[in-house]
Amino acid sequence: MSSENHNTAGGDHPALVMSPTSSSNQGQPLSPSAAKPTLELPDDMIQAGWSKCWSKRENRPYYFNRFTNQSLWEMPVLGQHDVISDPLGLNAAPVDPGLDNGQRKRRLSEETAVGGANSFKRPKVEIMPVTPTTPTVPISPSTPGPPGTPLSKIWGSPTDEKQQPPSAAPAPAPYRPTAVYWDLDIPTNAVIKERPPSDALPPHPDVELQRAQLTLKLRKHYLELCQQREGIEPPRDSFNRWLLERKVLDKGKDPFLPSECEPVISPAMFREVMNDIPIRLSRIKYREEARKLLFKYAESAKRMIESRNATPDSRKVVKWNVEDTISWLRKDHSASKEDYMDRLEHLRKQCGPHVAAVAKDSVEGICSKIYHISCDYARRIRDCHSALLKECNISETVEAPEIQDRLVYCYPLRLAIPSPPQPRVDLHFENDVACVRFKGEMVKINRNYFSKLELLYRYSCIDDPRFEKFLSRVWCLIKRYQAMFGAGVHEGTGLQGALPVPVFEALHKQFGVSFECFASPLNSYFKQFCSAFPDCDGFFGSRGPFLSFSPVSGSFEANPPFCEELMDAMVSHFEDLLERSSEPLSFIVFVPEWRDPPTPALTRMESSRFKRHQLTVPAFEHEYRSGSQHTCKREEMYYKAVHGTAVLFLQNSAGFAKWEPTAERVQELQGAYRVSGRTLTSPGPVPATGTGDKELETEREQGTSQETPSTVDTTPPSGVTPAPDPASI
């Protein structure tokens, strides 16, 4: 029936409704009820794409799904019919013959009356008290099974046939992820002091949509300023690194846009823009490219020094060096690529300081203007959010709960301010992609990652046992990370890359690692992790930003975004935690081995008294999982690292005694990079900027992996008590 015109049933114009022509090919449908059907559908069925139509030829109603082009004679039952595995609905749950259409719909309406617009399944469940470390087991919108159903059954293991009536049709198989890149069954061994909930404002799709739109405008302002003032394109990912560097210092209330930073001028943005002045230098493969690049640099340097307010000495030095270079280019036609590159390096050393001097004020103006626009946008977003909460009679000031001075296993971050009612958010599936839509703005995520978010939400969220706010929070989460890393092809993926699954397995098995210091609900391997955004990530297991997370004990993996300021702040936090704790504490840190010049973070860790071992994984011999793994194709999941990765073990004395990096353990970790057995092909050219080898370019390589269950030592250190009661938080 996919080629038919489907109109909603109505009594005013029955002649305008086309009859289904392919019903004869579907076999004999179930007998319809004799009672006249009502014309309305429950809200959750409309949300899932269903509408009620009238067949003129058969003189009875049928149901059509505009998302899947599916047609059924009987009212579909949500959650029990998988279009992929059972397109004709042959294995759908049998219809109770004792109920006509009207009675069935009234019963369904009664069950859905208590739910919100974003809920799929709303059966009555008994709400059990939960604690921050005891996950709730609510009904998931697309995962079958009552509360308490084991995960093995939820993922489609054989059901107990004795519990099914003999006449019942077999239940359709739920969606099974084709590839799993996480292990959410590993418990945590991270211990923290009990802490109060966060005062961040709860996420809302209207506010998040405004934030995304203003962030896009801010990116456009940055692009226009670079083009108009300096005649260059913004350095790749420099805006993303600016956000990361600013949030290290930011004391403002917006969880995303910087609004209260000192100094105002970002060192990261200033450094990256200056490196591309007067032109951006790319990595060269051929002789003619090197010759053109040298000529272009000379012309650009001369043009800039003549058009800016430079001193006479600067003009003289630059003009003389440029004329000498151009004269050499015209005379020497037998120079090699290396000759041209040596001449370019000489010209940069002679002219670079003078060019930088005349561009300094302009670049500082770019950085300052972007920051002040960000402050204005953050204020507008805050005012909008406050007005929304005020309309819902929700106060932004909440009395601080009493917190006991005790140690507990780490638990997901909670929000002190209750969440306002959520608007309607739609969901439909396109093959293996889940499409979540709000006000025409659609975000997409691979279906297996959507299932992962369901599980994380099930484990971590305590204020929404019926999943009524699940879709709106998923939309806010994906929209936030889209705004964070940009919408360009592969933009920001290097900043959110993750270690391969075999490496995580080795870390857990050999060193007891059960926690990620820098991750997100989208790319995490464990269900316990720290991430950038406490307001929208906490519902999916985040423990909040790592720089505000203070564990007392545990074994941690740290693979930070490659932002120098963030990595430097991370090292300071590591040393402070290791200094204060006498319990076993271990951090295994993965950072790029940048030696030209070396980063302060790498230098400090190498000289730290807590460093127990260090190893290097060579460039092009290991991989990272893509930061866009939740949306990319399977063959694009992995990319090769074009630089070496330094792995450093920072441990206090108790941590070293418990998780010592012995030769056998380190060998197992190194071998994990070769578990997949993929053949690494030679990479393409990598653009070279002023940051030397700090440009992370990628060439995708297909990768699959399997998880192996393992155990973790969760023996609590002395003084650890059970998790606190959420009522006291």
Side-chain angles (χ1 to χ4, degrees):
M1 296 182 187
S2 59
S3 61
E4 297 294 331
N5 296 324
H6 301 277
N7 295 330
T8 304
D12 296 333
H13 305 285
L16 298 179
V17 182
M18 300 295 293
S19 63
T21 59
S22 61
S23 58
S24 60
N25 297 330
Q26 296 181 357
Q28 197 67 22
L30 296 176
S31 299
S33 170
K36 182 176 179 59
T38 56
L39 302 181
E40 300 80 7
L41 285 177
D43 193 40
D44 56 348
M45 294 188 62
I46 296 176
Q47 175 184 339
W50 289 101
S51 60
K52 192 171 184 178
C53 306
W54 186 263
S55 170
K56 182 177 179 182
R57 188 183 69 182
E58 302 292 338
N59 196 29
R60 55 179 172 176
Y62 67 98
Y63 300 88
F64 173 73
N65 191 306
R66 67 180 185 275
F67 294 145
T68 62
N69 289 334
Q70 179 189 6
S71 299
L72 295 174
W73 288 118
E74 294 298 325
M75 178 180 288
V77 181
L78 293 182
Q80 299 186 22
H81 175 224
D82 191 339
V83 178
I84 303 300
S85 62
D86 185 21
L88 298 182
L90 301 178
N91 292 329
V95 180
D96 188 349
L99 297 177
D100 59 17
N101 284 345
Q103 291 172 324
R104 281 199 306 274
K105 184 163 62 176
R106 281 195 299 274
R107 173 176 292 183
L108 183 60
S109 300
E110 291 171 359
E111 293 176 354
T112 59
V114 296
N118 298 322
S119 179
F120 283 73
K121 296 167 64 178
R122 306 178 181 91
K124 297 180 181 179
V125 296
E126 180 181 357
I127 307 302
M128 302 296 293
V130 292
T131 66
T133 54
T134 303
T136 59
V137 190
I139 291 296
S140 164
S142 62
T143 303
T149 304
L151 291 181
S152 59
K153 291 187 177 182
I154 290 178
W155 290 120
S157 62
T159 57
D160 189 355
E161 298 179 357
K162 295 181 181 179
Q163 297 179 0
Q164 298 180 356
S167 59
Y175 177 78
R176 275 196 193 92
T178 55
V180 178
Y181 302 95
W182 52 85
D183 188 346
L184 306 184
D185 294 329
I186 296 176
T188 185
N189 58 14
V191 175
I192 62 173
K193 285 189 175 182
E194 187 176 342
R195 55 180 179 169
S198 171
D199 60 353
L201 301 185
H204 192 278
D206 284 319
V207 178
E208 204 57 46
L209 180 59
Q210 182 188 30
R211 180 179 284 113
Q213 292 171 344
L214 292 178
T215 303
L216 182 60
K217 288 182 63 177
L218 188 61
R219 288 180 180 272
K220 291 182 178 178
H221 281 305
Y222 181 46
L223 171 65
E224 293 169 357
L225 287 173
C226 289
Q227 291 176 338
Q228 294 171 2
R229 295 193 179 188
E230 303 301 332
I232 62 171
E233 296 293 319
R236 179 182 177 183
D237 284 336
S238 63
F239 186 87
N240 302 333
R241 281 186 287 269
W242 173 77
L243 288 173
L244 293 171
E245 180 264 336
R246 293 281 86 184
K247 295 309 289 185
V248 173
L249 307 172
D250 188 34
K251 299 179 181 179
K253 295 184 177 181
D254 191 88
F256 182 65
L257 291 176
S259 58
E260 191 176 337
C261 301
E262 285 293 337
V264 170
I265 297 174
S266 164
M269 179 177 284
F270 178 83
R271 180 178 62 248
E272 293 193 37
V273 175
M274 290 294 289
N275 284 334
D276 281 5
I277 291 176
I279 64 169
R280 180 180 182 180
L281 301 180
S282 57
R283 188 162 294 178
I284 299 302
K285 292 182 65 176
Y286 304 107
R287 173 180 172 275
E288 283 302 315
E289 292 177 349
R291 187 175 190 277
K292 291 179 181 179
L293 185 65
L294 175 59
F295 184 81
K296 186 177 180 181
Y297 184 92
E299 287 291 320
S300 299
K302 180 181 178 182
R303 189 183 313 114
M304 173 171 285
I305 208 71
E306 290 177 348
S307 61
R308 304 290 177 93
N309 187 20
T311 63
D313 289 341
S314 295
R315 293 177 185 271
K316 182 177 180 181
V317 170
V318 172
K319 183 178 180 181
W320 186 89
N321 279 280
V322 168
E323 290 178 351
D324 181 64
T325 299
I326 294 178
S327 175
W328 178 80
L329 284 171
R330 290 171 178 169
K331 292 179 180 178
D332 193 347
H333 299 285
S334 60
S336 64
K337 169 192 164 184
E338 289 72 21
D339 294 334
Y340 288 124
M341 298 308 295
D342 290 342
R343 188 80 185 198
L344 175 61
E345 185 64 24
H346 172 75
L347 185 62
R348 289 186 65 195
K349 289 181 179 179
Q350 296 297 320
C351 300
H354 302 283
V355 171
V358 298
K360 179 176 181 291
D361 292 341
S362 175
V363 176
E364 287 181 346
I366 293 175
C367 300
S368 177
K369 189 172 183 63
I370 291 298
Y371 171 73
H372 286 104
I373 295 175
S374 174
C375 294
D376 178 59
Y377 286 172
R379 179 187 54 78
R380 290 164 58 178
I381 294 170
R382 182 78 182 191
D383 293 343
C384 174
H385 209 157
S386 299
L388 188 148
L389 293 177
K390 188 175 181 180
E391 290 178 1
C392 301
N393 296 321
I394 298 177
S395 174
E396 295 185 41
T397 58
V398 180
E399 183 179 355
E402 182 180 354
I403 299 299
Q404 301 181 27
D405 185 13
R406 58 177 180 174
L407 298 178
V408 297
Y409 284 113
C410 69
Y411 51 88
L413 193 71
R414 309 301 185 199
L415 300 184
I417 302 174
S419 180
Q422 300 293 303
R424 175 170 172 168
V425 176
D426 297 321
L427 167 71
H428 71 275
F429 294 99
E430 297 177 356
N431 296 325
D432 284 337
V433 177
C435 305
V436 189
R437 183 174 61 249
F438 171 71
K439 289 187 175 179
E441 291 283 334
M442 182 183 295
V443 296
K444 296 184 177 182
I445 181 174
N446 291 341
R447 194 167 179 180
N448 56 339
Y449 280 83
F450 184 79
S451 299
K452 176 192 178 184
L453 292 181
E454 291 182 44
L455 288 175
L456 288 173
Y457 196 80
R458 176 190 302 276
Y459 287 137
S460 308
C461 181
I462 63 172
D463 70 340
D464 185 26
R466 299 182 185 275
F467 275 66
E468 293 165 1
K469 301 173 183 177
F470 172 72
L471 283 183
S472 63
R473 288 171 174 173
V474 167
W475 189 91
C476 291
L477 172 75
I478 302 176
K479 198 68 178 177
R480 176 75 60 85
Y481 280 95
Q482 275 189 356
M484 178 72 175
F485 295 107
V489 178
H490 302 317
E491 184 178 4
T493 57
L495 296 175
Q496 204 184 10
L499 300 178
V501 170
V503 176
F504 273 117
E505 292 174 344
L507 289 172
H508 172 59
K509 182 179 179 181
Q510 302 298 329
F511 302 100
V513 172
S514 66
F515 194 105
E516 296 169 76
C517 297
F518 298 91
S520 75
L522 300 172
N523 73 350
S524 66
Y525 177 79
F526 305 108
K527 66 175 180 287
Q528 46 273 344
F529 55 89
C530 283
S531 65
F533 308 118
D535 57 332
C536 61
D537 293 355
F539 300 111
F540 301 91
S542 173
R543 272 58 173 170
F546 176 70
L547 297 182
S548 59
F549 180 73
S550 300
V552 176
S553 174
S555 183
F556 301 83
E557 175 268 350
N559 177 31
F562 297 161
C563 168
E564 294 187 37
E565 289 75 14
L566 177 59
M567 291 191 292
D568 195 42
M570 171 196 71
V571 176
S572 299
H573 193 51
F574 283 158
E575 294 187 337
D576 181 56
L577 294 174
L578 292 167
E579 186 74 39
R580 289 185 299 169
S581 177
S582 59
E583 299 290 345
L585 190 58
S586 170
F587 297 98
I588 304 178
V589 191
F590 297 77
V591 293
E593 193 178 31
W594 291 337
R595 301 290 183 182
D596 183 25
T599 59
L602 181 57
T603 303
R604 289 178 59 193
M605 285 191 289
E606 288 179 332
S607 60
S608 173
R609 69 184 185 90
F610 297 107
K611 190 194 81 169
R612 307 296 179 175
H613 187 73
Q614 179 177 353
L615 63 96
T616 300
V617 186
F620 307 111
E621 294 184 13
H622 65 294
E623 303 167 318
Y624 284 94
R625 269 186 299 143
S626 171
S628 60
Q629 58 186 270
H630 58 286
T631 57
C632 70
K633 298 178 181 179
R634 189 174 178 181
E635 57 268 20
E636 299 174 344
M637 181 63 68
Y638 287 92
Y639 62 85
K640 290 171 291 187
V642 298
H643 53 73
T645 296
V647 184
L648 298 103
F649 294 76
L650 304 181
Q651 300 169 330
N652 60 8
S653 299
F656 178 70
K658 189 170 185 177
W659 299 296
E660 179 184 354
T662 62
E664 295 77 11
R665 289 175 172 177
V666 171
Q667 187 176 3
E668 288 290 334
L669 177 60
Q670 290 177 310
Y673 279 104
R674 298 184 292 272
V675 166
S676 59
R678 286 181 291 270
T679 301
L680 303 181
T681 57
S682 58
V686 180
T689 66
T691 57
D693 58 353
K694 300 176 186 178
E695 182 78 16
L696 184 64
E697 291 294 325
T698 63
E699 185 172 317
R700 308 302 189 228
E701 188 78 14
Q702 181 177 2
T704 61
S705 59
Q706 294 180 341
E707 295 179 281
T708 57
S710 57
T711 59
V712 62
D713 181 10
T714 58
T715 304
S718 58
V720 178
T721 62
D725 185 354
S728 65
I729 301 180

